[in-house]
Amino acid sequence: EGDVKNPTAYLMSVLVNGESGTGKELFAQAMHNEGSHADGPFVAINCASIPRDLLERELFGYEAGAFPGAQSSGGNPGRFELANHGTLFLDEIGNLPPRLQSKLLTAIQSGRIVRLGSNTPVKVDIRLISATNRDLFGMVADGEFREDLLYRINTIHIDLPPLRQRREDILPLAEKFLGRYAAKYNKPIEGFDEAAVREMHDYPWAGNIRELQHTVEKAVILCDGHTIAPATLLLRPAPAETSPKTGFSTLEEMERAMIAEAVARCGGNLTEVARQLGITRQTLYNKIKRYGL
């Protein structure tokens, strides 16, 4: 157990904002590796990917008998305890329901958590890094996120730019992924030809680093030579029709057209549409409903 004498000091909380796929978890891992808790564990949890009725036990753990089926002798530790003396990364923290926002705030303020089915506090010594692609300040104004929690997790605020705004990173990242997947698939691929490099540099990368990673992996699988060419990258033409020349008067009109075009292009495969647009399926469903598509 960590000796937490000053909870506000032990939690130098960091909030990372960025679009989906910009590499927020990779950034958090790098911060952990360079921080004072680098020798401890790095534990990540995506608050949007776990059902709300299971999220509390995932975060805070539980004792035997806390709920039907909780029969483990000695109970189960949650992510806070698993991250003790290390870093806890809370991805998509904007999806945390109000009740858990309150419990998270209490844990941050006290430096202690309480498992489900227990009244005994457990000390934790962690570095907390949170991430979101949502506007938490706007959510506070709308009553969807606690203001006091936002200030607790936002000691240091970092905006992670999308890949299209840091094009100097495209080739180094692509080369890193190329090395990884060439080894994985046992392919003697040495690099990208000049045309492929230009095409990657000019591509909008709506799905950011995640889209780049998937693109390189597919190219490695398809490549039969020693270099990857544009034909192997299978990049879609840049969507010139979404430029200001189209006459869209609002961002909503542009977004609706982009989603409609992606749905048509993918033949109604919403999983693929969400992947190409760099958003979650739930976000895509909400937008389809919103725009009446």
Side-chain angles (χ1 to χ4, degrees):
E1 293 182 349
D3 183 12
V4 185
K5 297 180 179 179
N6 187 346
T8 59
Y10 93 96
L11 277 174
M12 255 317 252
S13 303
V14 178
L15 177 62
V16 183
N17 263 101
E19 294 179 5
S20 179
T22 49
K24 295 187 287 294
E25 183 169 347
L26 291 174
F27 187 83
Q29 178 75 69
M31 291 186 62
H32 167 75
N33 293 343
E34 297 298 323
S36 59
H37 285 55
D39 292 335
F42 177 84
V43 177
I45 182 171
N46 188 315
C47 300
S49 65
I50 299 176
R52 291 190 171 193
D53 57 339
L54 301 180
L55 187 55
E56 183 173 6
R57 69 182 72 165
E58 285 292 323
L59 285 171
F60 301 105
Y62 60 86
E63 297 291 348
F67 52 86
Q71 303 301 327
S72 299
S73 177
N76 273 12
R79 304 297 175 95
F80 268 90
E81 289 180 74
L82 294 175
N84 198 24
H85 302 303
T87 297
L88 177 62
F89 175 60
L90 300 181
D91 199 6
E92 304 297 350
I93 195 171
N95 291 78
L96 207 62
R99 186 172 63 85
L100 288 189
Q101 291 179 29
S102 177
K103 190 165 184 177
L104 175 60
L105 176 63
T106 299
I108 295 173
Q109 290 176 328
S110 67
R112 294 171 173 81
I113 61 93
V114 177
R115 292 182 182 183
L116 287 175
S118 173
N119 293 318
T120 304
V122 178
K123 289 183 179 181
V124 286
D125 172 20
I126 63 169
R127 171 79 174 276
L128 181 66
I129 303 177
S130 307
T132 184
N133 58 9
R134 306 178 68 178
D135 176 12
L136 295 186
F137 289 94
M139 292 179 65
V140 167
D142 294 337
E144 299 175 353
F145 200 85
R146 292 182 63 117
E147 184 175 21
D148 46 5
L149 176 59
L150 175 56
Y151 288 122
R152 283 291 186 180
I153 65 174
N154 195 33
T155 306
I156 299 174
H157 188 107
I158 296 172
D159 285 309
L160 201 57
L163 193 55
R164 62 184 174 274
Q165 293 181 10
R166 44 189 174 114
R167 295 189 179 275
E168 68 279 2
D169 291 340
I170 294 174
L171 183 57
L173 286 168
E175 290 175 337
K176 176 181 178 180
F177 295 139
L178 175 59
R180 177 188 303 176
Y181 293 118
K184 177 180 178 179
Y185 297 108
N186 194 27
K187 292 287 193 79
I189 304 173
E190 299 173 355
F192 302 89
D193 68 19
E194 292 184 5
V197 171
R198 288 195 299 271
E199 189 162 309
M200 287 191 298
H201 182 271
D202 295 337
Y203 188 70
W205 299 112
N208 292 297
I209 296 175
R210 187 179 296 123
E211 183 182 7
L212 175 62
Q213 180 176 354
H214 292 165
T215 297
V216 173
E217 182 176 14
K218 288 188 295 183
V220 168
I221 294 172
L222 296 173
C223 183
D224 292 326
H226 293 283
T227 58
I228 290 178
T232 316
L233 286 173
L234 299 179
L235 292 176
R236 305 183 307 277
E241 62 269 20
T242 62
S243 69
K245 296 179 181 179
T246 56
F248 292 129
S249 59
T250 66
L251 288 174
E252 286 78 9
E253 290 178 5
M254 183 181 296
E255 183 177 62
R256 185 185 190 282
M258 289 180 66
I259 293 174
E261 190 272 336
V263 171
R265 183 175 62 246
C266 296
N269 184 336
L270 298 187
T271 297
E272 179 63 14
V273 172
R275 189 196 68 78
Q276 291 188 6
L277 294 178
I279 58 179
T280 65
R281 282 174 59 94
Q282 186 59 55
T283 298
L284 177 62
Y285 292 148
N286 293 342
K287 290 182 181 296
I288 287 175
K289 182 178 180 181
R290 175 184 176 184
Y291 294 129
L293 296 173

